[in-house]
Each structure stands twice: as structure tokens, then as C-alpha cells.
């Protein structure tokens, strides 16, 4: 697809009252959850229109999270890539080190509004878990987080942080012991606890209204970035690049630009170590339409509809599904989806550290890796806006291990 | 000809008996055992068999059934194996068989293809726990044309207007989840159960079967006294799990014995 040519879409058409983005989305969950989802939808729509709610949310986003996050021109990186301008949306500078807090604060406030005092969440890399634990600590809500045992091993630092924040981390030992299994467990908990519990889902996946609600909370990324780039460059960017696991940081960046037809939007998935089943997590690139975790979207499944194993160096991208809005944007050709390998992400991780003094999360390193790949083919002076969705501090041990460097850490023996 | 499920409920109604509906996982621990179990369960008083088609991410099910699904999938069980199994066992029994299947599987195979294959193999209906009634209209229509029953769920959390929709949409019988939450063994049954069933009975003439959390003959008796059918899953799978290292005939015997007691409970004979 050529640069700057995109079909016109209106946000009006993007989601209908049944939570459908075209044929994607919907609500495929047991009957037990339907009333809870209906209540959540009602409360969310009311909160969205409620000025006091928005005012309170904005207060915390500013004073607690530290928004707006900077849009930083990575000059050395841009020069190296053939004289393009690479802007990094610094979500890593948010309190708790990632974009996840934008959503958890919003949903925690909503839970308070609904009178639900117990919060549950699932987490992969642990960023969403930490962000949920943080919001709950601050608002005084009880919090339990489901996390796959394999992820707990990979992200022991985040497990410790959650515990410090007063959250009970529940190890998930079923299935692949990663994000999808943690999501199953959280959904199960919610089915039995729906009366007093709100489930803070961490991405733009799951049954309606989650994909819409989480997108709205994350759209602050794109709204700020759009204002910031217009102020700095006096024009819109040529291209947006963000990593896609479930797809919350990317949809947060993309959404406010959807009607800006000349702006290319590129989602970067985890290409892992190969194209075979179980070697990657590139759902939009290699998946087919199916149903997983309550919504219809692209999924990595076998011919019987069984979820396939996935792999990524990044725990946050290690997920066999993707948000339904991304599936829709792919099908109508408004966004492009590509993938980069573990090795490419690892290289970008180090390159960003060296040339910009910023250690990105391995998730964000996927977006940077594709930026480095695509930039040389763009016109000189092109403006690329990359979502630096999180900080790489959490990945230090994992990356050191991958690079064959031993760090003396009690967490890793 | 009437669907086997309808026939069975008609017969039970004339005998003023509740249906006993055991749930087992297809292929756990082997297709051979499942085949034997279906026949044994019938001998031990089952009226309808609910046969679970294993799924990798069963959100409506508890740890016991999930573990059963995982055991089975790990051995490479495919959906077509389940169809073949039912086709084979149909040669020997006319007991109604309902599949419990995730919409992820039905959608992937294709709604039409799934319904045709299931019907042809000898299934009489399906319950699709992750397909809410508003999403199932087209599927129910298509199933109706094939004399295939789609059993819908209602839960204690279901609102009155949805209750009406579900009572209208369901076919064969209505699956009422007696507790909020996932399948599994529980110590007690909720108090509002009777009240909710009465509410449902005012809405529909279709049989109402109670499931989720029924594990003892005593509980089955209480459930059988208020509902037209009693569904037991996790307790049977747990019994199977306890005997899993034994020979196929011993597994079948052990699960059959428990089923016999539960059936007696459901029919008020304890």
C-alpha cells in the first residue's frame, strides 16, 4: 500500500451498539457474565458523558501519572536512518513505566463509581498488573492479579512490585501458563464474583464493551501526540508505528488519527523466532478470523478452533489474539500490520539505548525495530511517530540472559 | 420423527420423573473408554448424555473439566474423532446425546458444517456456553430445520427480560446454571434456586435442567425435586480422574457406580 492513500472511515461506523467493528468484536461469553457486561456498558457510557468523572480522571492523569507524556525527537536515531524525523511518544515516562496506567486509572475510577470494591486483572509482562495494583493502592481497592507461572518467572521484578503495592498475585498453572491462561482465570473468577468485583481487562480485547472502553482510555496517547506533532512540525506525521500484542497502545495512538487519511498507520507484531506454529505471536499477519476470549477477531488457532501456542521474547506480546478494532482496520486497509523477529527487537532495544539513552520495553522495541527497517525506504524528512509504550527496566534481566551476560540478581539466582 | 431429546422428556413427564444428565468429556482418557462410558451411563440410569468436545480455553468450565480437556487435547483429539465416536456408539444406543461445545470451535468449523456433521453423526443437540442468546438466533433457526436442538443457558444473574428471550429461544430443554460461576463441585446449593426455577417455569413449557455444582445424590435429589433434569459433570470427571490409571473397564465401572447413585438421587429414590 502506497504512502498517504487510505480509505475514508468515520468513527461513527467504527463501533455499533452491539460492540461490533464491522464483523469483529461482539460478546461471546457465558450467560453469567452478560448482565455484568451490560451494567459495565451502561455505567461506562454514563461516565463518558459525565464531566465530573472526566475531570477527576484528567486530574489523576496529570498529577499522578505525569501526563502529558513528552513527544521526543530522537535526532540521532533519525539521522542514522536516512534523515527522517523519528518522534517517540514517551509512554515509558508515565508513572509505573508504561501506557497501561491510562486504562487502569480509568477503570478503577469506574469501579468506584459502580460501588465495586474488589478488582481483578490478568497480566502478561506484569505491566498491566502493576498498573492495576497501583491504581488500586491509590484508590484503596482490594486487588488480585492472575499471572501465568511462566510469566512470573520471566518478570519476577513486576511480581514483587505488585506484592509491594498490596496486591495478591495468583499464579496460573493451566495451559501455556501465559497471558491467555491468566485471562481465562480472570474471566472465571469474574463469573463467580461479579456482584462485588470489577475485572480490569488490560487490553482492547475481550467482550464488548472492553475493546471500546479500553481504547477510549488509551486514546489520550494519540490525542496528545496529535496536538504535540502539530505544534512541533505544524503538520501531521507521515506514519505512526506501534507494537501490537492485544493492541492497546497502538489503538490508543491510532484512533485519534483514523480520519487523517494521509497518515499511515503500522502495527508491529511479534515475529518471534520463525513462522511455524508456536514460534511467533503475529496474529494479524498469520492468523485467521475466529473467536477467543469473548470476541471475534483474528486469532491463532488450528482447524478445530483450538488456540495455538505462541512465542515472543516479549511477554506483553505473547498473545494468540488481538483487539477486534485492529482486525477491522486491517480488513478495510486503513492500517498495515507487519512483524519483526525476537532478534530484530533485541537489536533495536540496544540501538535505542545507545543512540538515545532510552531503554525501551521489549514490546516497544518491536515498534522501533520496524521503524529502523522501514525508515530508509521513506522520503527524506519524513515524520515518523513511534509509540514508546513502556520502559525496558523490567526487561533488563531477560535481555541480559538472552545476550549471555550474567547479572547478579537474587531474582535469577 | 420427534427429536430424541423431546421424546425422552415426554416419556419422563408421563412417569413424573426428572431426567438424569451426566456430562463426560469425549476422549478422556480414550475414545474407547468414552464409548464404553456412554453405554454404561445409560445402564446406570442416564436419560441424556452431555458429551463435552474438548476446547483449549474453556472459560465457562472449572479446573476439573479444564484438566480433562487438556488431557484429551494433549493426545491430539480432533473434533472429527468425536463425530466418529458418536456415529459408532449410535449403532448400539438410542440415548439422546447433546454436545457441549465452545463457539470458537463451531465458528471455526463453520456453523452449517458443524450442525450437519453433528446431526449426521448422531448428536441430537448442542449447548454452546459462550454463545449468548442474542448471538444464536441464526444458528437456532438453522438447527431447527435439521431437527437439531440448541440448548440455551440461563443464570441466577440473568435479568427478567433476557430470561424471557432465553426461554423462548432454547430448544429441547433449558440449561439453568444453579450458581453464579463456573462448573465444579460445591458443598451446597443456593437458596434462590427454587424461586428462579419457578420464575422460569412461568415463562416456558420447555423442560428445565439444573447444572453447575451438583455433586452428591442428596443434591441431585433436591435439584430433581424442583427441576425437570439434573446435570452432573465435574463430580463424574473427578471420579474418572481418581481411577485414570486403572484399566478401561475399571474406569467405566467406577464412574458408572457414582452415576447410578446420582441418578437415583435425581429421580427421588434415595
Amino acid at each position: 500500500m502506497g504512502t498517504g492513500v487510505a480509505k475514508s472511515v468515520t468513527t461513527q461506523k467504527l463501533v455499533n451498539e452491539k460492540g461490533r467493528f464491522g464483523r469483529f468484536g461482539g460478546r461471546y461469553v457465558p450467560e453469567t457474565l452478560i448482565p455484568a457486561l451490560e451494567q459495565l456498558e451502561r455505567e461506562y457510557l454514563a461516565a463518558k458523558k459525565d464531566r465530573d468523572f472526566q475531570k477527576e480522571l484528567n486530574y489523576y492523569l496529570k498529577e499522578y501519572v505525569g501526563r502529558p507524556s513528552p513527544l521526543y525527537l530522537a535526532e540521532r536515531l533519525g539521522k542514522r536512518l536516512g534523515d527522517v524525523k523519528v518522534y517517540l511518544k514517551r509512554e515509558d515516562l508515565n508513572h509505573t513505566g508504561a501506557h497501561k496506567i491510562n486504562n487502569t486509572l480509568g477503570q478503577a475510577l469506574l469501579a468506584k463509581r459502580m460501588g465495586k470494591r474488589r478488582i481483578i486483572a490478568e497480566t502478561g509482562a506484569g505491566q498491566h498488573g502493576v498498573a492495576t495494583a497501583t491504581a488500586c493502592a491509590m484508590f484503596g481497592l482490594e486487588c488480585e492479579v492472575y499471572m501465568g507461572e511462566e510469566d512470573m518467572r520471566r518478570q519476577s521484578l513486576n511480581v514483587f512490585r505488585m506484592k509491594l503495592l498490596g496486591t495478591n498475585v495468583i499464579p496460573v498453572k493451566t495451559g501455556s501458563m501465559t497471558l491467555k491462561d491468566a485471562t481465562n482465570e480472570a474471566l472465571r473468577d469474574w463469573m463467580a464474583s461479579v456482584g462485588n468485583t470489577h475485572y480490569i481487562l488490560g487490553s482492547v480485547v475481550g467482550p464488548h464493551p472492553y475493546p471500546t472502553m479500553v481504547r477510549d482510555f488509551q486514546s489520550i496517547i494519540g490525542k496528545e501526540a496529535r496536538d504535540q506533532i502539530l505544534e512541533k512540525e505544524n503538520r501531521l506525521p507521515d506514519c505512526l508505528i506501534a507494537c501490537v500484542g492485544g493492541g492497546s497502545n497502538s489503538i490508543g495512538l491510532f484512533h485519534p488519527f483514523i480520519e487523517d487519511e494521509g497518515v499511515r498507520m503500522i502495527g508491529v507484531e511479534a515475529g518471534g523466532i520463525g513462522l511455524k506454529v508456536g514460534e511467533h505471536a503475529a496474529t494479524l499477519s498469520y492468523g485467521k478470523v475466529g473467536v477467543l476470549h469473548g470476541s471475534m477477531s483474528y486469532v491463532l488457532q488450528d482447524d478445530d478452533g483450538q488456540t495455538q501456542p505462541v512465542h515472543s521474547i516479549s511477554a506483553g506480546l505473547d498473545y494468540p489474539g488481538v483487539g477486534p478494532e485492529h482486525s477491522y482496520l486491517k480488513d478495510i486497509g486503513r492500517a498495515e500490520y507487519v512483524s519483526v523477529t525476537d532478534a530484530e527487537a533485541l537489536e533495536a532495544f540496544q540501538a535505542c539505548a545507545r543512540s538515545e539513552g532510552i531503554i525501551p520495553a521489549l514490546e516497544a522495541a518491536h515498534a522501533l525495530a520496524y521503524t529502523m527497517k522501514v525508515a530508509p525506504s521513506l522520503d527524506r524528512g519524513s515524520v515518523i511517530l513511534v509509540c514508546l509504550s513502556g520502559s525496558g527496566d523490567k526487561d533488563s534481566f531477560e535481555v541480559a540472559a538472552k545476550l549471555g551476560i550474567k547479572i547478579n540478581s537474587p531474582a535469577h539466582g | 420423527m420427534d427429536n430424541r431429546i423431546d421424546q425422552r422428556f415426554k416419556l419422563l413427564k408421563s412417569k413424573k420423573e426428572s431426567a438424569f444428565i451426566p456430562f463426560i468429556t469425549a476422549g478422556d482418557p480414550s475414545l474407547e473408554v468414552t464409548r464404553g462410558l456412554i453405554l454404561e451411563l445409560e445402564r446406570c440410569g442416564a436419560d441424556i448424555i452431555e458429551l463435552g468436545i474438548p476446547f483449549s480455553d474453556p472459560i465457562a468450565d472449572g479446573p476439573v473439566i479444564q484438566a480433562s480437556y487438556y488431557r484429551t487435547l494433549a493426545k491430539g483429539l480432533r473434533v472429527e474423532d468425536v463425530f466418529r465416536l458418536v456415529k459408532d456408539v449410535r449403532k448400539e444406543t438410542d440415548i439422546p446425546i447433546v454436545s457441549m461445545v465452545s463457539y470458537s470451535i463451531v465458528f471455526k468449523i463453520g456453523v452449517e458444517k458443524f450442525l450437519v456433521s453433528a446431526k449426521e453423526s448422531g448428536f441430537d443437540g448442542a449447548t454452546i456456553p459462550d454463545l449468548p442468546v442474542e448471538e444464536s438466533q441464526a444458528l437456532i433457526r438453522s438447527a431447527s430445520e435439521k431437527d437439531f436442538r440448541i440448548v440455551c443457558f440461563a443464570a441466577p444473574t440473568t435479568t427478567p427480560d433476557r430470561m424471557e428471550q432465553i426461554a423462548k429461544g432454547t430448544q429441547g430443554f433449558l440449561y439453568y446454571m444453579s450458581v453464579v460461576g463456573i462448573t465444579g463441585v460445591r458443598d451446597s446449593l443456593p437458596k434462590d434456586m427454587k424461586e428462579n426455577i419457578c420464575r422460569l417455569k412461568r415463562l416456558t413449557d420447555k423442560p428445565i435442567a439444573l447444572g453447575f455444582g451438583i455433586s452428591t445424590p442428596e443434591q441431585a435429589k433436591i435439584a430433581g425435586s424442583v427441576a425437570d433434569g439434573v446435570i452432573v459433570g465435574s463430580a463424574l470427571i473427578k471420579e474418572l480422574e481418581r481411577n485414570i490409571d486403572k484399566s478401561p473397564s475399571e474406569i467405566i465401572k467406577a464412574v458408572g457406580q457414582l452415576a447410578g447413585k446420582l441418578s437415583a438421587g435425581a429421580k427421588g429414590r434415595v
Side-chain angles (χ1 to χ4, degrees):
Chain A
M1 178 174 152
T3 49
V5 191
K7 290 174 196 166
S8 171
V9 272
T10 65
T11 30
Q12 205 62 45
K13 279 191 294 187
L14 267 177
V15 62
N16 69 15
E17 69 283 358
K18 276 175 124 183
R20 293 277 181 179
F21 305 89
R23 64 178 158 154
F24 302 107
R27 216 174 245 169
Y28 299 95
V29 292
E31 176 61 28
T32 334
L33 283 184
I34 298 283
L37 292 167
E38 286 181 340
Q39 183 203 16
L40 181 60
E41 185 182 7
R42 270 194 313 273
E43 296 276 354
Y44 172 63
L45 289 176
K48 201 175 165 177
K49 283 187 215 137
D50 180 350
R51 279 193 189 174
D52 289 338
F53 178 86
Q54 294 299 337
K55 211 173 134 193
E56 197 179 357
L57 178 58
N58 285 331
Y59 167 82
Y60 286 110
L61 287 174
K62 178 167 179 269
E63 303 295 336
Y64 189 68
V65 177
R67 303 207 70 95
S69 66
L71 185 70
Y72 166 72
L73 176 63
E75 268 181 274
R76 297 217 315 145
L77 191 64
K79 285 232 167 64
R80 244 187 64 195
L81 297 176
D83 226 3
V84 293
K85 284 186 164 173
V86 177
Y87 280 92
L88 304 178
K89 181 61 175 162
R90 299 289 308 274
E91 292 299 300
D92 61 317
L93 294 178
N94 292 342
H95 177 47
T96 70
H99 69 290
K100 295 291 187 186
I101 191 89
N102 303 329
N103 170 46
T104 60
L105 269 182
Q107 286 199 49
L109 268 178
L110 198 60
K112 268 182 67 185
R113 196 184 148 100
M114 290 188 286
K116 295 191 174 180
R117 305 296 306 176
R118 178 175 177 260
I119 298 293
I120 54 168
E122 85 297 335
T123 196
Q127 294 302 93
H128 173 59
V130 168
T132 304
T134 301
C136 289
M138 202 249 297
F139 289 128
L141 300 165
E142 186 195 335
C143 181
E144 300 203 272
V145 172
Y146 289 91
M147 189 170 188
E149 255 196 349
E150 170 64 13
D151 288 337
M152 286 179 76
R153 185 195 62 74
R154 292 196 282 191
Q155 302 290 345
S156 51
L157 185 61
N158 273 342
V159 175
F160 180 64
R161 289 165 81 195
M162 283 185 268
K163 286 180 181 166
L164 275 179
L165 292 160
T167 282
N168 181 26
V169 182
I170 304 172
V172 174
K173 297 172 189 174
T174 52
S176 56
M177 294 186 252
T178 58
L179 180 56
K180 87 170 174 72
D181 308 285
T183 307
N184 289 337
E185 288 302 328
L187 279 167
R188 286 192 185 123
D189 179 315
W190 202 32
M191 265 180 264
S193 62
V194 79
N196 69 340
T197 300
H198 174 61
Y199 173 24
I200 300 191
L201 219 160
S203 193
V204 286
V205 300
H208 180 61
Y210 282 105
T212 311
M213 181 176 70
V214 177
R215 176 252 281 158
D216 288 350
F217 287 135
Q218 291 295 1
S219 289
I220 185 91
I221 301 173
K223 274 182 216 144
E224 284 177 7
R226 199 172 180 282
D227 290 346
Q228 288 165 320
I229 199 78
L230 285 173
E231 198 191 308
K232 286 174 202 288
E233 291 289 333
N234 208 16
R235 73 171 179 99
L236 290 168
D238 296 295
C239 172
L240 307 174
I241 302 180
C243 66
V244 182
S248 71
N249 89 84
S250 41
I251 216 74
L253 177 66
F254 293 175
H255 193 74
F257 290 92
I258 280 179
E259 288 177 64
D260 298 322
E261 294 181 23
V263 180
R264 233 177 124 182
M265 311 196 300
I266 305 172
V268 186
E269 299 190 300
I273 51 169
L275 295 181
K276 283 197 224 106
V277 168
E279 292 185 342
H280 63 84
T283 310
L284 288 160
S285 306
Y286 306 114
K288 296 263 168 62
V289 178
V291 174
L292 178 68
H293 290 150
S295 66
M296 187 172 290
S297 197
Y298 280 82
V299 270
L300 292 167
Q301 293 178 324
D302 70 11
D303 294 341
D304 275 357
Q306 312 288 357
T307 311
Q308 287 175 331
V310 285
H311 162 84
S312 170
I313 189 174
S314 141
L317 302 182
D318 204 352
Y319 182 66
V322 69
E325 190 167 354
H326 281 297
S327 292
Y328 181 65
L329 293 178
K330 175 191 159 86
D331 272 16
I332 61 167
R334 178 62 188 94
E336 305 156 59
Y337 295 90
V338 297
S339 66
V340 300
T341 64
D342 282 358
E344 289 168 325
L346 205 53
E347 210 179 293
F349 179 93
Q350 298 169 82
C352 182
R354 285 201 200 113
S355 77
E356 298 299 332
I358 297 169
I359 301 176
L362 277 171
E363 291 79 17
H366 283 73
L368 288 165
Y370 192 73
T371 305
M372 289 160 67
K373 240 177 167 173
V374 76
S377 70
L378 301 179
D379 294 339
R380 281 181 61 169
S382 291
V383 175
I384 309 173
L385 204 162
V386 182
C387 188
L388 204 103
S389 54
S391 155
D393 290 352
K394 68 175 173 65
D395 296 313
S396 305
F397 291 116
E398 185 78 10
V399 169
K402 281 275 184 289
L403 298 175
I405 297 161
K406 274 210 170 101
I407 308 179
N408 202 6
S409 140
H412 278 241
Chain B
M1 196 193 88
D2 256 4
N3 182 290
R4 290 188 194 92
I5 301 168
D6 305 343
Q7 285 176 7
R8 181 60 57 119
F9 274 110
K10 219 179 268 172
L11 176 73
L12 289 167
K13 198 174 180 184
S14 70
K15 293 203 286 184
K16 294 205 164 82
E17 246 179 45
S18 281
F20 172 57
I21 309 172
F23 167 94
I24 52 171
T25 301
D28 185 24
S30 68
L31 288 163
E32 180 204 349
V33 169
T34 306
R35 186 180 189 286
L37 257 179
I38 292 172
L39 300 172
E40 179 72 7
L41 288 169
E42 185 177 22
R43 265 194 296 279
C44 296
D47 295 294
I48 296 170
I49 303 285
E50 194 181 3
L51 192 61
I53 299 181
F55 177 51
S56 55
D57 296 271
I59 49 175
D61 289 302
V64 177
I65 290 174
Q66 184 179 21
S68 167
Y69 281 180
Y70 266 94
R71 278 197 292 276
T72 313
L73 289 174
K75 289 180 194 150
L77 182 107
R78 302 294 310 263
V79 176
E80 55 189 49
D81 297 328
V82 182
F83 290 148
R84 219 172 295 130
L85 164 79
V86 173
K87 199 167 202 167
D88 183 44
V89 82
R90 260 288 162 250
K91 292 175 199 153
E92 291 181 49
T93 177
D94 263 327
I95 191 165
I97 305 177
V98 177
S99 65
M100 164 103 116
V101 58
S102 166
Y103 189 62
S104 297
I105 293 176
V106 176
F107 178 80
K108 184 69 185 188
I109 288 177
V111 168
E112 204 51 32
K113 194 177 161 202
F114 177 87
L115 292 174
V116 168
S117 306
K119 174 75 185 173
E120 276 178 7
S121 70
F123 274 114
D124 304 291
T127 62
I128 311 174
D130 49 3
L131 189 70
V133 69
E134 53 270 67
E135 300 282 3
S136 25
Q137 298 310 321
L139 189 143
I140 289 176
R141 264 197 306 278
S142 176
S144 276
E145 291 163 10
K146 298 171 181 63
D147 194 33
F148 189 80
R149 303 287 178 258
I150 299 297
V151 177
C152 298
F153 289 82
T157 48
T158 302
T159 52
D161 57 318
R162 288 185 61 78
M163 208 65 118
E164 238 169 89
Q165 223 183 329
I166 293 163
K168 211 171 139 201
T170 193
Q171 297 170 304
F173 61 98
L174 191 151
Y175 192 138
Y176 182 72
M177 303 185 230
S178 53
V179 290
V180 178
I182 52 176
T183 56
V185 177
R186 283 171 187 81
D187 294 334
S188 60
L189 290 172
K191 292 184 200 81
D192 60 352
M193 189 176 79
K194 194 170 177 179
E195 196 181 304
N196 283 328
I197 297 226
C198 290
R199 211 168 54 156
L200 274 169
K201 281 192 171 165
R202 281 197 293 274
L203 290 172
T204 180
D205 297 335
K206 292 166 193 161
I208 295 160
L210 259 177
F212 282 50
I214 299 165
S215 56
T216 66
E218 292 72 32
Q219 288 172 341
K221 188 179 176 182
I222 301 169
S225 69
V226 290
D228 308 302
V230 180
I231 303 165
V232 180
S234 296
L236 292 168
I237 305 290
K238 245 186 161 172
E239 186 64 18
L240 181 143
E241 212 175 16
R242 254 197 294 277
N243 293 280
I244 204 156
D245 295 325
K246 296 185 183 159
S247 71
S249 61
E250 285 172 297
I251 298 175
I252 291 167
K253 199 178 151 203
V255 177
Q257 266 173 3
L258 176 60
K261 289 178 202 156
L262 289 161
S263 172
K267 291 168 188 302
R269 298 195 199 111
V270 284

